[in-house]
Amino acid sequence: MKRVAILISGGGSNMVALVRSMTGDHPARPVLVASNDPQAGGLAKAAADGIDTAAVDHRAFGKDRAAFEAELLKHIEAAEPDILCLAGFMRVLTPGFVARFEGRMLNIHPSLLPKYPGLHTHQRAIDAGDSEAGCTVHEVTAVLDDGPILGQARVPVLPGDLSDTLAGRVLVQEHRLYPAVLRRYAAGDRKPLFW
Ligand code: GRF
């Protein structure tokens, strides 16, 4: 049985989708939900689902990313995860941290990568007049939002869409795609999933 730790920064809807998918014959179980924000709404949701939680406030470390990560790593290493899932985790990780989990760390990004790495993905798709948008699950490498793609889900961009309405349509697919990819990944299957 694979052990999965999940990093969040906010409400944690993707984290909840992952946690609730890891039951029955799923090859993995959640062992920790950690956040860079002690006020992250997702921490209470994880605790309510009986998952161990931890919070390390990145603001206490100013610009010292390595010091922040060293503190976060104490909690992660204590949980001994096989797989690390970034789920709405908004801190850019240092190459040193990434190297430690390379080949076993996933992220979900709300665009059809390689289009629109970074922020404001939905508004950028609307401004570009794209007919489609979506989300991507990829392995994390030292280049932001760039690693091998493990899954993508597409949605139409509809006339009159605002970034919020498009984000809502994409989030529905995120909650389907990330659990589907994690189930395969935990079973050792890295064949990409597309819909
Ligand atoms: C999601 O759209 C995710 O793709 C992005 O941040 C949003 C946060 O969602 N990285 P949640 O915290 O999982 O609800």
Side-chain angles (χ1 to χ4, degrees), residues 106-124:
L106 308 182
N107 180 44
I108 186 145
H109 182 75
S111 82
L112 296 172
L113 291 171
K115 272 187 152 182
Y116 314 128
L119 301 174
H120 315 304
T121 58
H122 308 300
Q123 191 57 52
R124 291 156 71 191

Side-chain angles (χ1 to χ4, degrees), residues 106-172:
L106 308 182
N107 180 44
I108 186 145
H109 182 75
S111 82
L112 296 172
L113 291 171
K115 272 187 152 182
Y116 314 128
L119 301 174
H120 315 304
T121 58
H122 308 300
Q123 191 57 52
R124 291 156 71 191
I126 291 167
D127 292 348
D130 291 354
S131 60
E132 280 190 319
C135 54
T136 304
V137 176
H138 62 96
E139 270 189 20
V140 176
T141 62
V143 182
L144 185 68
D145 299 332
D146 181 65
I149 290 175
L150 296 163
Q152 281 191 324
R154 294 169 180 271
V155 302
V157 178
L158 301 175
D161 252 338
L162 302 173
S163 64
D164 287 357
T165 53
L166 182 54
R169 196 172 310 120
V170 172
L171 200 59
V172 171

Side-chain angles (χ1 to χ4, degrees), residues 10-15 87-88 90 108-110 171 174:
S13 70
N14 277 291
M15 174 274 297
M90 304 310 278
I108 186 145
H109 182 75
L171 200 59
E174 292 184 42

Side-chain angles (χ1 to χ4, degrees), residues 182-193:
L182 177 62
R183 178 183 272 272
R184 292 158 75 107
Y185 194 82
D189 179 354
R190 279 165 174 58
K191 207 168 47 266
L193 198 53

Side-chain angles (χ1 to χ4, degrees), residues 1-4 22 26-31 80-83 185-188:
M1 186 64 76
K2 298 286 186 193
R3 299 168 62 83
V4 176
M22 287 186 261
H26 193 293
R29 291 293 183 272
V31 294
E80 298 179 308
D82 302 293
I83 299 170
Y185 194 82

